RNA sequence: UCUUCAGUAGCUCAGUCGGUUAGAGCAUCUGACUGUUAAUCAGAGGGUCGUUGGUUCAAGUCCAACCUGAAGAGCCA
């Protein structure tokens, strides 16, 4: 087989290449035909499109063709031509084919017919070879890149916050413990407790549930930072919106007040959705056609319309006066349930809503108290179909007020002196928020289960791949 | 974790009132077909009916527990 430079499938639809000999490599999606001519649909992951390889069987032996089945990996050299058949622009007239690896058709689990998403979750190691997961994972990459680009272009610095933390009060749910102790022979102190002084860090440690507290340190020195990394929640949540390991984006900006925080969140979300529309057209069209006919219209709607900004108190009033029957009661001071959020976003306003100024009792200790003494400068961005996509706030910058909230809530702060130091030394107003990357991907791809927008989902009782 | 639904061929499903040999489509294999488009046509092979226990002359079917999956809820991003 002659050696020549490989052409990616995504680049093989260039009409200026017609008539030239090229080399493509990829995995066989289907092969069909008769005893004179075969057609191979070849995909290399560079695009959702397959390139059609036309094989004149008089030029190839039966032994050469037999292992070219769905799932096999081959390298093809041939002349790229405008397709003689309908259904594709270009095709390759095969001159030589090298088999890299066959795929026994009796045991290869992916067929050319459709599979359910549930079945594909059981073969997560192979599902990126499907159109759907190829599309989702290409969109995921593009949005990850867009996040870095957005912040970089605006002077934010990418801050790497720790994944292993010794603080047990990040305030966002159950944590996975990290230890090198022998669990079959745990060292004990005299009173029978686990002796963590013998552990790797000399104290109990966990996987982080949020980079926010360290992010605030970054904001109070570099001015504007963002984190983008994995976070871990040991909650026993079994829903289509929760993962035990997920990726979170957390910008934190010194001197931003809550209004500027909202401006940033809205502009950021619109930028990301616009980026996907501009750069992932083929993949979005596929997902739109196969799963959700209104997907692209909904994405455009979000980009083109202002988000509603609504104080919690007014939201409660709308819900109370709606006449709508809710399973959970609505009253001032109640945390909003999914049904309440959905009513506001999907039925009342019919567009994204930023809900602000929640009662302090239902929000985290670090949020800035309003002058009314009852509400805090929190903001949740609520999206249609997926609910809360962003949660954020202006942070309490006053040392005494922060300390009294910590005491009110009995938060163990013995390991958090470093966080309080930001308020002791050169404190300043600052704000930030957290965006669940997979929640964003649910919205942008139209997928309905969060396990289908991350390559290797981690959920209770599932860490197979 | 709670509620509901589901588990039958490699995949997607049907299986009546509990009844004697377990059904289809697709996939796979064999053959046919001179440009296919999830190709088409003909034939063949393929089953511990999630697991365990129970009721019954008889269980894929009824009962219980457990396992697994999904949807809704809670928690949250």
């Amino acid at each position: 087989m002659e050696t020549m430079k490989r052409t990616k499938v995504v680049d093989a639809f260039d009409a200026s290449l017609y008539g030239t000999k090229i080399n493509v490599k990829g995995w066989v999606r289907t092969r069909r035909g008769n005893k004179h001519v075969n057609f191979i649909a070849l995909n290399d992951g560079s695009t959702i499109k397959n390139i059609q390889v036309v094989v004149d069987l008089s030029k190839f032996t039966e032994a050469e063709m037999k292992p070219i089945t769905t799932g096999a990996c081959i390298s093809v050299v041939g002349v790229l031509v405008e397709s003689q058949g309908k259904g594709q622009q270009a095709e390759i007239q095969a001159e030589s084919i090298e088999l890299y690896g066959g795929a026994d058709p009796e045991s290869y689990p992916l067929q050319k017919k459709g599979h359910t998403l549930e079945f594909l979750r059981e073969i997560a190691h192979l599902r990126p070879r499907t159109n759907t997961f190829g599309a989702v994972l290409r969109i995921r990459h593009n949005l990850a890149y867009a996040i870095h680009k957005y912040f970089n272009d605006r002077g934010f610095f990418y801050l790497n916050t720790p994944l292993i933390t010794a603080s047990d009060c990040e305030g966002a749910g159950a944590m996975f413990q990290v230890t090198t102790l022998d669990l079959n022979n745990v060292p004990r102190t005299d009173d029978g407790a686990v002796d963590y002084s013998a552990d790797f860090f000399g104290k109990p440690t966990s996987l982080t549930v949020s980079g926010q507290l360290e992010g605030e340190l970054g904001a109070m020195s570099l001015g504007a930072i963002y984190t983008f990394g994995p976070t871990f929640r040991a909650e026993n949540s079994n829903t289509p919106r929760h993962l035990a390991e997920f990726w979170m984006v957390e910008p934190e900006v010194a001197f931003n007040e809550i209004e500027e925080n909202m401006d940033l969140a809205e502009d950021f979300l619109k930028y990301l959705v616009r980026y996907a529309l501009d750069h992932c057209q083929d993949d979005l069209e596929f997902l739109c056609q196969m799963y959700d006919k209104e997907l692209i219209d909904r994405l455009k709607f979000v980009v083109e319309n202002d988000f509603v900004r609504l104080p919690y108190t007014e939201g409660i009033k709308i819900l109370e006066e709606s006449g709508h029957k809710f399973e959970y009661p609505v009253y001032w001071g109640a945390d909003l349930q999914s049904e309440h959020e959905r009513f506001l976003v999907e039925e009342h306003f019919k567009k994204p809503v930023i809900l602000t100024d929640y009662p302090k009792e239902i929000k985290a200790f670090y949020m800035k108290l309003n002058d009314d003494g009852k509400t805090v400068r929190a903001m949740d961005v609520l999206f249609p179909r997926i609910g809360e996509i962003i949660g954020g706030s202006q942070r309490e910058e006053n040392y005494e007020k922060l300390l009294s909230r910590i005491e009110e809530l009995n938060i163990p702060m013995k390991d958090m002196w470093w966080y309080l130091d930001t308020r002791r030394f050169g404190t300043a107003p600052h704000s930030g928020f957290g965006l669940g990357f997979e929640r964003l991907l649910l919205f942008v791809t139209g997928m309905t289960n969060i396990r289908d927008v991350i390559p290797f989902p981690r959920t209770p009782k599932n860490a197979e791949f």
Side-chain angles (χ1 to χ4, degrees), chain A residues 155-408:
Chain A
F156 286 63
F157 299 106
Y158 179 35
L159 184 74
N160 298 119
T161 52
L163 300 187
I164 298 174
T165 174
S167 50
D168 55 0
C169 58
E170 289 175 347
M175 303 174 90
F176 288 101
Q177 192 175 345
V178 174
T179 182
T180 55
L181 294 178
D182 179 0
L183 296 183
N184 293 311
N185 186 19
V186 177
R188 303 276 176 183
T189 58
D190 292 343
D191 58 2
V194 175
D195 181 9
Y196 282 105
S197 70
D199 203 350
F200 187 88
F201 294 104
K203 58 168 82 169
T205 50
S206 306
L207 293 177
T208 184
V209 295
S210 165
Q212 181 199 312
L213 302 185
E214 290 90 350
E216 288 186 46
L217 307 184
M220 299 306 283
S221 47
L222 298 167
I225 63 91
Y226 68 105
T227 73
F228 184 15
T231 49
F232 308 88
R233 305 275 167 95
E235 303 281 358
N236 189 14
S237 306
N238 294 286
T239 85
R241 301 178 307 283
H242 291 87
L243 290 165
E245 176 181 297
F246 65 99
W247 288 65
M248 192 151 62
V249 183
E250 294 175 293
E252 193 74 33
V253 187
F255 316 119
N256 263 13
E257 308 260 344
I258 188 71
E259 290 79 12
E260 294 158 306
N261 203 32
M262 285 190 268
D263 292 343
L264 178 66
E266 180 168 348
D267 187 58
F268 179 51
L269 285 170
K270 286 178 170 172
Y271 176 90
L272 295 177
V273 174
R274 166 58 67 196
Y275 192 91
L277 285 167
D278 289 346
H279 293 84
C280 307
Q281 204 178 336
D282 289 345
D283 291 324
L284 284 174
E285 276 170 11
F286 172 82
L287 295 170
C288 194
Q289 190 188 331
M290 295 298 289
Y291 293 98
D292 182 356
K293 297 274 184 274
E294 287 149 28
L295 175 63
I296 290 176
D297 288 343
R298 191 162 52 242
L299 298 183
K300 285 180 178 164
F301 182 84
V302 163
V303 168
E304 287 161 7
N305 287 277
D306 288 340
F307 297 1
V308 173
R309 299 186 182 189
L310 186 76
Y312 167 92
T313 303
E314 284 179 38
I316 291 290
K317 205 193 293 180
I318 289 170
L319 291 169
E320 282 175 338
E321 291 170 356
S322 69
H324 194 276
K325 267 218 142 173
F326 294 106
E327 191 184 335
Y328 288 85
V330 178
Y331 57 91
W332 197 97
D335 206 352
L336 292 184
Q337 306 296 320
S338 293
E339 57 172 343
H340 306 137
E341 296 179 353
R342 263 207 309 276
F343 180 85
L344 289 173
V345 172
E346 292 171 9
E347 293 185 48
H348 189 81
F349 291 108
K350 293 188 165 60
K351 56 168 76 169
V353 174
I354 308 181
L355 218 51
T356 64
D357 302 296
Y358 285 74
K360 65 178 179 181
E361 287 78 14
I362 59 174
K363 285 293 177 186
F365 72 92
Y366 48 73
M367 296 188 180
K368 183 178 173 65
L369 197 62
N370 275 314
D371 293 340
D372 62 13
K374 295 192 296 185
T375 60
V376 290
R377 294 195 183 175
M379 48 162 253
D380 286 359
V381 181
L382 310 178
F383 259 37
R385 285 165 46 100
I386 57 170
E388 184 180 341
I389 191 171
I390 277 179
S393 67
Q394 184 170 345
R395 319 307 188 187
E396 180 58 72
E397 81 270 20
N398 180 284
Y399 181 79
E400 277 75 29
K401 286 184 184 171
L402 184 60
L403 204 58
S404 77
R405 282 296 286 154
I406 286 168
E407 283 162 3
E408 267 176 57

Side-chain angles (χ1 to χ4, degrees), chain A residues 140-154 228 268 271-273 275-276 279:
Chain A
R140 185 180 169 106
H141 159 78
N142 272 280
L143 285 178
Y145 174 75
I147 285 164
H148 287 296
K149 179 169 170 53
Y150 178 88
F151 287 124
N152 181 66
D153 289 353
R154 285 156 186 76
F228 184 15
F268 179 51
Y271 176 90
L272 295 177
V273 174
Y275 192 91
H279 293 84

